[in-house]
Amino acid sequence: MRRSILLISLVLFLVAVGTGCAKWRHRHYDADWIIHVIDKEVNRAGLNLTDEQKGKLDAVKGKIVEHMHSHRETRKEMLSLFREESAKDVPSFDALVEKFKNTGEKRRQDLSTIADMLNEFYQGLDDTQKKKVVESLKAKVDTCERWDKK
């Protein structure tokens, strides 16, 4: 009995976190905010992109938006599955666990595709633009070094 309560509590916690019900939602879950940050960084670096480069960047941004909206829909589906199962006399969370596993695999595939698209965009930049991107990234990394301190 105690093991069942622990398992159900764990599933409830995972659903709450996965659906955003836990109010741990940050703006980095918002596709519009991510696109805004990308545009801001491109402007700040002064990349002066060509039409072809803008097209590649727009494709990356489109894939990011698609990924974020897909993730939002998956969270809604998981919450719906949880509500259905929790309403039953004898709930079974097999479907929820299976959905959770499949979701993780799809997210990894999407992120891999986005990384490849970003690399393709970067490879399409000229040497001056690449240098500006690296300088911008160095500044970001330098501010994050405090996370690595032990």
Side-chain angles (χ1 to χ4, degrees):
M1 180 69 172
R2 187 174 184 170
R3 186 174 175 188
S4 298
I5 291 172
L6 181 63
L7 179 63
I8 290 173
S9 298
L10 178 63
V11 169
L12 287 174
F13 174 76
L14 290 174
V15 168
V17 170
T19 59
C21 294
K23 300 295 182 198
W24 294 341
R25 183 175 174 89
H26 299 286
R27 61 184 174 182
H28 62 265
Y29 289 121
D30 183 28
D32 293 335
W33 183 80
I34 292 172
I35 300 306
H36 168 74
V37 169
I38 291 171
D39 290 338
K40 186 171 95 175
E41 290 300 319
V42 167
N43 289 335
R44 183 181 299 167
L47 294 181
N48 299 323
L49 300 175
T50 65
D51 289 339
E52 181 182 340
Q53 292 168 336
K54 286 178 185 177
K56 286 182 180 181
L57 184 60
D58 287 342
V60 172
K61 292 189 291 188
K63 182 63 178 174
I64 290 171
V65 169
E66 174 189 319
H67 172 71
M68 297 300 292
H69 288 286
S70 169
H71 183 59
R72 182 177 295 143
E73 291 304 314
T74 300
R75 287 184 294 169
K76 287 178 184 177
E77 291 171 13
M78 289 180 70
L79 184 58
S80 175
L81 278 172
F82 175 75
R83 285 183 179 144
E84 289 173 16
E85 288 300 323
S86 64
K88 295 178 181 176
D89 290 338
V90 181
S92 170
F93 291 104
D94 293 338
L96 188 63
V97 170
E98 190 64 32
K99 182 71 173 172
F100 186 75
K101 289 178 183 178
N102 292 340
T103 298
E105 182 59 35
K106 183 176 180 337
R107 287 179 56 84
R108 279 187 290 281
Q109 289 173 353
D110 284 352
L111 291 175
S112 178
T113 301
I114 290 169
D116 290 340
M117 291 173 77
L118 278 170
N119 186 46
E120 183 181 333
F121 166 73
Y122 178 76
Q123 295 303 324
L125 297 176
D126 64 33
D127 290 341
T128 306
Q129 291 171 319
K130 286 180 180 179
K131 191 171 189 169
K132 289 179 181 180
V133 169
V134 170
E135 288 172 1
S136 177
L137 290 174
K138 276 185 184 178
K140 296 288 182 190
V141 169
D142 289 344
T143 62
C144 297
E145 283 185 352
R146 61 188 158 92
W147 298 343
D148 195 29
K149 292 182 181 177
K150 294 179 182 180

